[in-house]
Amino acid sequence: MFFRPIRDTITPVQFSRDSWCGKGVDVDVHLKVLHGKPRGHCLRFGPGEFVFGRGPECHVRPNSELISRQHCLLKVLDDGHISVRDLGSANGTLVNGVRVVGERQLQDGDTLQLGPVVLQVVCKTSAESSSVETALVNLNETRPGA
């Protein structure tokens, strides 16, 4: 279940506004792999929208047949808020064990499950983030002919 990146690098961003995951302190938003490979690694996300799925157009591609071609959409806002929306996947997207219907806000400590892959939302201050093992997704290195 390795994550196969395919697009531009996901740039880590620090949030310094009053947000749900860090009132007034610099915070990095991570998704930590709890179940799946590479287990224990964290994916860092800056503001934007990121599609998870097996399709070649997806930003994050877990390697599992139980994950749909376009499984879910992760939104990270400038203020540090994070939400997820299922994109009509066959097996659903779960937050804390409950199937997502519509769009669902995510908070520090929530679990996000896509098929067999389980990720945990982790909000760290800048000082804490320096000790976290992080996998930055650089998709330019995985393109054919690159």
Side-chain angles (χ1 to χ4, degrees):
M1 281 176 250
F2 283 97
F3 291 98
R4 296 175 295 181
I6 55 133
R7 295 205 181 195
D8 297 328
T9 301
I10 296 174
T11 307
V13 172
Q14 296 176 345
F15 301 99
S16 59
R17 299 187 183 112
D18 288 341
S19 67
W20 63 268
C21 61
K23 305 251 191 249
V25 287
D26 289 340
V27 175
D28 287 330
V29 177
H30 307 281
L31 291 181
K32 182 178 181 180
V33 181
L34 296 180
H35 189 268
K37 294 180 183 177
R39 187 179 204 166
H41 284 241
C42 289
L43 302 173
R44 295 171 77 178
F45 293 89
E49 295 185 351
F50 306 93
V51 177
F52 286 62
R54 290 184 295 112
E57 69 283 357
C58 296
H59 298 94
V60 180
R61 295 173 38 189
N63 187 15
S64 171
E65 293 298 319
L66 297 174
I67 295 175
S68 296
R69 290 183 59 77
Q70 289 192 346
H71 198 96
C72 68
L73 175 71
L74 179 76
K75 288 184 187 178
V76 180
L77 301 180
D78 288 333
D79 63 3
H81 284 82
I82 304 173
S83 64
V84 66
R85 180 169 42 103
D86 186 78
L87 298 175
S89 66
N91 294 314
T93 301
L94 306 176
V95 173
N96 300 326
V98 178
R99 192 174 187 130
V100 172
V101 178
E103 191 163 323
R104 165 82 188 265
Q105 293 292 316
L106 298 174
Q107 297 183 8
D108 188 34
D110 283 349
T111 58
L112 176 63
Q113 183 172 351
L114 322 163
V117 177
V118 180
L119 306 166
Q120 182 178 36
V121 177
V122 179
C123 296
K124 298 271 187 187
T125 64
S126 297
E128 294 171 320
S129 292
S130 62
S131 65
V132 174
E133 186 174 352
T134 303
L136 290 180
V137 180
N138 186 344
L139 299 169
N140 291 329
E141 295 176 0
T142 63
R143 291 184 182 155

